[in-house]
Amino acid sequence: MKFSRQTTLRSQATVTGVGVHSGLPVSLTLGPAPVDAGFIFVRTGLDGSDREVVATADAVIATEFATVLGDREGPLVSTAEHVLAALRGMGVDNATIEVDGAEVPIMDGSAAAFVAAIDQAGIVTQPGVRRFIQVLKPVQVKIGEAVGELRPFAGGFRAEVEIDFTNQVIGRQTFSFDLSPEGFRREVARARTFGCMSDVARLWGAGFALGASFDNTVVFDEARLLNAEGLRYADECARHKVLDVIGDLALAGLPLLGSYRSVRGGHKLNNAVLKALLTDRSAWRVVESETARRPARGHVEAGAGTVGGLVAPAYGPDVS
């Protein structure tokens, strides 16, 4: 038996696009980071030196339209959730994320481009033991009609999302997902951000969503879907909410062992539940995952290990 090891990226990979709110061009480069570094955003293109912020719950300074990270000097990078979801979803523990603008590029509104960048860079094992935050008791937050709760769960990390929109084309949708790199790539990564045409028009009028288009947003009016290409999944809206959950909860700093359920949730609720968990030191502990031996003849597969009686996924192969 051996401990599951941390992972990082083998090399750098760059994607370019526009910011969903500014509409301005922006480049993002994923790269390696040391053991125990976590996810480090490096904001370049500023007057003077670059500024860094570690992607943790304490760095969140706004959640109104996206998850915004910053420091004492102010905001550094917005719309961080999709790239964070890709890194956590694909089993990366440590990475640098260089951004030369105020927003992570929206790409096609999903995490697919970031998954492709991770594939291009490659994933490698590091000597550090992989650690997890294990949820020990339920933690719940209510914000108006929205409810979010983290609970203990014996199978790694599960997200259960329910949305219920007055727009009847979207309506009520549910989606449950047990996190694994293969499942994330297949079931969640391609789910795009979405909205109603009336909301988009209102945001445009307020100076937001200037980069939003049918190329990066699933848009509905009161009667139909407006995107000519249609949906990627029948429940794409609920799946995108799961994508957001994975990205927002990546701000725990370590992979979570627990189950998260949200009803009518969003970035604000996700962040509030995470902060409520981390504030209550009786609600969690840090544990290490021991994985099963790899099969012989060089075959590599994601394994499972025992953590205090729990079964924990390996969150990715030892080599890539």
Side-chain angles (χ1 to χ4, degrees):
M1 304 295 286
K2 65 179 180 179
F3 287 106
S4 175
R5 302 296 176 179
Q6 294 179 35
T7 61
T8 190
L9 299 177
R10 186 189 305 275
S11 61
Q12 291 187 327
T14 299
V15 300
T16 59
V18 299
V20 69
H21 290 303
S22 68
L24 298 175
V26 58
S27 292
L28 178 146
T29 299
L30 296 175
V35 169
D36 294 330
F39 303 136
I40 305 170
F41 279 89
V42 182
R43 174 68 191 281
T44 64
L46 298 167
D47 293 333
S49 61
D50 300 339
R51 287 164 60 191
E52 296 184 359
V53 61
V54 180
T56 64
D58 290 338
V60 176
I61 62 174
T63 55
E64 189 64 28
F65 301 117
T67 297
V68 182
L69 306 181
D71 56 20
R72 294 178 181 177
E73 297 182 41
L76 280 177
V77 61
S78 176
T79 323
E81 60 274 8
H82 296 173
V83 68
L84 289 174
L87 290 164
R88 178 65 73 223
M90 295 304 295
V92 179
D93 295 293
N94 306 301
T96 57
I97 309 158
E98 296 185 10
V99 186
D100 67 359
E103 299 177 79
V104 170
I106 191 62
M107 307 312 289
D108 71 349
S110 76
F114 304 120
V115 170
I118 292 169
D119 289 341
Q120 178 184 339
I123 302 174
V124 293
T125 303
Q126 297 177 288
V129 174
R130 176 175 278 137
R131 297 175 299 146
F132 301 83
I133 291 177
Q134 177 187 346
V135 179
L136 300 177
K137 69 178 186 182
V139 174
Q140 185 182 95
V141 173
K142 295 182 180 180
I143 302 176
E145 295 184 340
V147 181
E149 184 176 43
L150 275 165
R151 301 181 62 89
F153 178 61
F157 178 75
R158 170 175 290 175
E160 301 175 359
V161 164
E162 177 181 332
I163 61 174
D164 191 1
F165 281 74
T166 55
N167 181 299
Q168 294 303 304
V169 187
I170 303 174
R172 179 179 177 273
Q173 298 179 20
T174 62
F175 185 67
S176 297
F177 176 69
D178 290 336
L179 182 61
S180 71
E182 298 81 3
F184 181 82
R185 182 192 300 275
R186 182 179 63 251
E187 304 291 343
V188 175
R190 296 180 66 250
R192 297 162 294 176
T193 191
F194 65 95
C196 299
M197 193 63 206
S198 58
D199 294 330
V200 174
R202 176 175 55 83
L203 290 171
W204 282 339
F208 294 101
L210 301 180
S213 71
F214 291 122
D215 293 328
N216 56 41
T217 306
V218 178
V219 184
F220 302 87
D221 66 13
E222 294 304 315
R224 61 193 175 97
L225 170 70
L226 300 180
N227 300 68
E229 69 175 271
L231 294 172
R232 294 176 177 176
Y233 313 91
D235 53 358
E236 185 169 358
C237 297
R239 290 177 189 245
H240 184 80
K241 286 289 188 178
V242 167
L243 189 157
D244 283 343
V245 163
I246 295 168
D248 287 339
L249 297 189
L251 294 162
L254 296 172
L256 287 172
L257 299 178
S259 175
Y260 180 68
R261 175 170 172 76
S262 74
V263 178
R264 298 173 179 263
H267 302 299
K268 183 177 182 180
L269 179 70
N270 299 340
N271 185 251
V273 176
L274 179 58
K275 286 186 174 179
L277 173 77
L278 297 177
T279 300
D280 186 350
R281 282 298 286 112
S282 68
W284 59 277
R285 63 176 178 174
V286 174
V287 295
E288 296 176 347
S289 175
E290 187 178 13
T291 62
R293 286 188 183 273
R294 303 301 183 201
R297 294 174 295 184
H299 178 67
V300 178
E301 64 181 10
T306 302
V307 183
L310 301 178
V311 176
Y315 278 79
D318 277 354
V319 296
S320 177

